[in-house]
Amino acid sequence: VMKNPASWTQQYDQCKNLLVENITVDSKNYWNNDGIDVVDCDSVIIRNSYFDASDDAICLKSHSDKFLCQNVEIYNNTARSSASGIKFGTYSKGGFKNIKIINNIVFDTYRSAITFAAVDGGIVENIIVDSLRALNTGNAIFLRIGERTEGKKGSMKNISISNVYVEVPATKADAGYPYEGPV
């Protein structure tokens, strides 16, 4: 069990052949606490784990335009967040390619069950989302293309989303947690 660090719980940067499985993360001690951050890594599996975070629960990032976060499988996880359950970005310089997100549950999440951001010139390409169950979340899917950094526009293509079940509440999805999203 990883519990209440001062900031991001764990960050893996430019790793290859990373396996994260059967872990429990309770990261609600500070508003910027992510559950897990995978940055510009290649060949990653995140499975059979539980993430409860004040910020993004499972977060893929790309800090360098020379690398991609690629060949990632995220499956059989449960995630709770006062931001996004599963997120690509916001840092997205190189981007994200060949990602499979299969059979995950997201609950009590303020923003989105899943977020794709391509705002720093990177790509979001060849993505499969299947069997996502989101209960009590602000919205199901958020996609954003922008030109946040150096005037480089991101791009998205070949994204497949299927078998998604979402319940969006009339009230705040993360009410009562230590660090809630804004009103």
Side-chain angles (χ1 to χ4, degrees), residues 7-93:
S7 187
W8 295 355
T9 306
Q10 53 194 320
Q11 177 179 324
Y12 302 95
D13 199 329
Q14 296 180 16
C15 298
K16 288 189 177 184
N17 302 314
L18 173 65
L19 172 62
V20 176
E21 71 177 333
N22 299 318
I23 66 168
T24 298
V25 175
D26 183 357
S27 185
K28 300 184 299 287
N29 203 39
Y30 183 64
W31 69 269
N32 193 35
N33 281 25
D34 288 353
I36 185 171
D37 291 279
V38 176
V39 183
D40 291 321
C41 294
D42 187 354
S43 301
V44 176
I45 296 173
I46 301 170
R47 67 181 175 208
N48 304 323
S49 295
Y50 180 88
F51 300 90
D52 188 349
S54 293
D55 205 352
D56 303 314
I58 300 171
C59 192
L60 306 181
K61 297 181 181 292
S62 181
H63 289 171
S64 172
D65 60 3
K66 295 175 180 33
F67 294 96
L68 292 170
C69 197
Q70 63 183 346
N71 305 315
V72 177
E73 296 181 14
I74 300 169
Y75 61 94
N76 297 338
N77 299 288
T78 300
R80 204 282 326 158
S81 166
S82 285
S84 295
I86 301 169
K87 183 178 181 187
F88 293 35
T90 300
Y91 278 104
S92 52
K93 288 192 174 193

Side-chain angles (χ1 to χ4, degrees), residues 5 15-16 27 31 35 53 55 60 80 100 118 122 129-131 145-146 156 162 179 182-183:
C15 298
K16 288 189 177 184
S27 185
W31 69 269
D55 205 352
L60 306 181
R80 204 282 326 158
K100 293 180 182 177
V129 177
D130 187 31
S131 301
I145 296 174
M156 293 186 190
S162 59
Y179 283 94
V183 175

Side-chain angles (χ1 to χ4, degrees), residues 68 92-96 117-124 152-156:
L68 292 170
S92 52
K93 288 192 174 193
F96 314 96
V119 297
D120 297 319
I123 62 169
V124 176
K152 295 179 181 175
K153 189 172 188 175
S155 68
M156 293 186 190

Side-chain angles (χ1 to χ4, degrees), residues 79-153:
R80 204 282 326 158
S81 166
S82 285
S84 295
I86 301 169
K87 183 178 181 187
F88 293 35
T90 300
Y91 278 104
S92 52
K93 288 192 174 193
F96 314 96
K97 187 174 183 181
N98 303 328
I99 314 287
K100 293 180 182 177
I101 301 168
I102 311 291
N103 196 37
N104 292 280
I105 298 170
V106 174
F107 72 98
D108 292 358
T109 295
Y110 173 74
R111 288 193 178 108
S112 306
I114 190 161
T115 295
F116 301 104
V119 297
D120 297 319
I123 62 169
V124 176
E125 186 175 306
N126 300 337
I127 311 300
I128 296 171
V129 177
D130 187 31
S131 301
L132 175 65
R133 185 171 176 83
L135 307 171
N136 198 38
T137 187
N139 67 68
I141 301 160
F142 182 76
L143 297 109
R144 178 179 170 208
I145 296 174
E147 297 178 53
R148 187 176 77 151
T149 307
E150 303 161 12
K152 295 179 181 175
K153 189 172 188 175

